[in-house]
Amino acid sequence: MCGRYAASRRPEDLVLEFDAVPAEGQSPLPADYNVAPTKDVYVVRTKRERDAEGAPTGATHRELRAVRWGLVPSWAKDASVGNRMLNARVESLTEEPAFRRAARSRRCLVPADGWYEWAKKLDGPGKQPYYMTPRDGSVLAFGGLWEVWGEGEDRLYTCTVITEPAVGALTEIHDRMPLVLPRDRWADWLDPAREDVAELAAPTPPELVEGLELRPVSPAVNS
């Protein structure tokens, strides 16, 4: 699973990194080295453009938007369901009612510096947290899904992070990991016209995993 991650980059840096446009009327999010569930986080999504009367023009652009982490399907009766929708397993994206519609056309990228996982200690009780981050300091892009719940000014934008079976050295820490998409797969992932979810959600490339530093960190991350 992915239950905590770090996201410290400024929005002005993210719009350049992802060739995106910032959403209108949003205050910048502060750097957060321990992003917890239900916090507001940045995602990059494809936004359909509309004319002055609100009609679709057929054009699109990438948008950097702050949304709440914990996906709330449009049909949910209560927004609190998002507290249980932090992750979406890649194996069941097209089957789970909460995720299958978003998986077809509302995919997003979740920018991150790295993420945390907990491994069982071999020399005693408890678990040791690890921080996974690129050695070269580059940004990570988790595969995600976004949704909008409610209407009018009360609309709530939310997201979930897709997870897959861990690969390589990560298997020694946890059996799951976020789906991490390399830059050459960003455009296809964000394209709402692409509905071949199984192909788009191919596993994280081994070379990307090999470029990660697996750093033990203080148990204070639990707080």
Side-chain angles (χ1 to χ4, degrees):
M1 63 172 292
C2 175
R4 295 287 179 97
Y5 69 95
S8 67
R9 284 171 166 79
R10 300 178 304 170
E12 52 264 41
D13 295 329
L14 291 173
V15 297
L16 291 175
E17 186 79 36
F18 289 90
D19 191 22
V21 176
E24 296 181 0
Q26 291 195 324
S27 299
L29 298 178
D32 194 337
Y33 297 92
N34 193 1
V35 181
T38 73
K39 280 189 174 182
D40 285 347
V41 301
Y42 281 125
V43 301
V44 178
R45 67 172 191 144
T46 296
K47 181 177 181 179
R48 292 181 171 88
E49 298 178 7
R50 296 179 180 273
D51 61 22
E53 283 70 43
T57 65
T60 63
H61 66 265
R62 291 184 186 180
E63 179 187 63
L64 180 73
R65 170 174 282 273
V67 305
R68 194 174 76 178
W69 185 15
L71 189 129
V72 181
S74 59
W75 44 260
K77 294 182 179 180
D78 192 308
S80 64
V81 70
N83 300 341
R84 305 190 302 274
M85 303 287 184
L86 307 174
N87 294 154
R89 296 173 69 92
V90 72
E91 299 94 327
S92 55
L93 280 183
T94 59
E95 301 170 7
E96 288 288 342
F99 304 130
R100 61 191 179 197
R101 289 179 63 186
R104 287 197 298 270
S105 60
R106 289 189 289 277
R107 296 179 296 272
C108 63
L109 300 171
V110 183
D113 304 337
W115 78 96
Y116 300 93
E117 294 291 4
W118 285 256
K120 292 182 179 179
K121 291 183 178 179
L122 300 178
D123 57 353
K127 294 185 177 182
Q128 169 64 53
Y130 283 83
Y131 180 56
M132 276 62 72
T133 188
R135 293 190 185 92
D136 62 5
S138 59
V139 68
L140 294 175
F142 300 155
L145 309 176
W146 66 272
E147 273 282 12
V148 58
W149 181 82
E151 298 180 354
E153 295 182 357
D154 295 327
R155 284 183 299 178
L156 175 66
Y157 286 83
T158 61
C159 75
T160 189
V161 173
I162 297 172
T163 67
E164 63 178 353
V167 298
L170 295 177
T171 59
E172 299 178 13
I173 297 175
H174 199 275
D175 61 350
R176 306 288 298 180
M177 62 174 282
L179 173 65
V180 184
L181 298 172
R183 188 179 297 270
D184 61 5
R185 287 168 54 183
W186 292 357
D188 286 342
W189 180 257
L190 292 174
D191 185 354
R194 294 285 300 270
E195 296 187 2
D196 47 336
V197 180
E199 181 178 345
L200 295 173
T204 299
E207 58 270 22
L208 196 156
V209 175
E210 292 167 3
L212 296 174
E213 176 186 357
L214 315 184
R215 183 191 308 166
V217 295
S218 166
V221 70
N222 296 337
S223 303

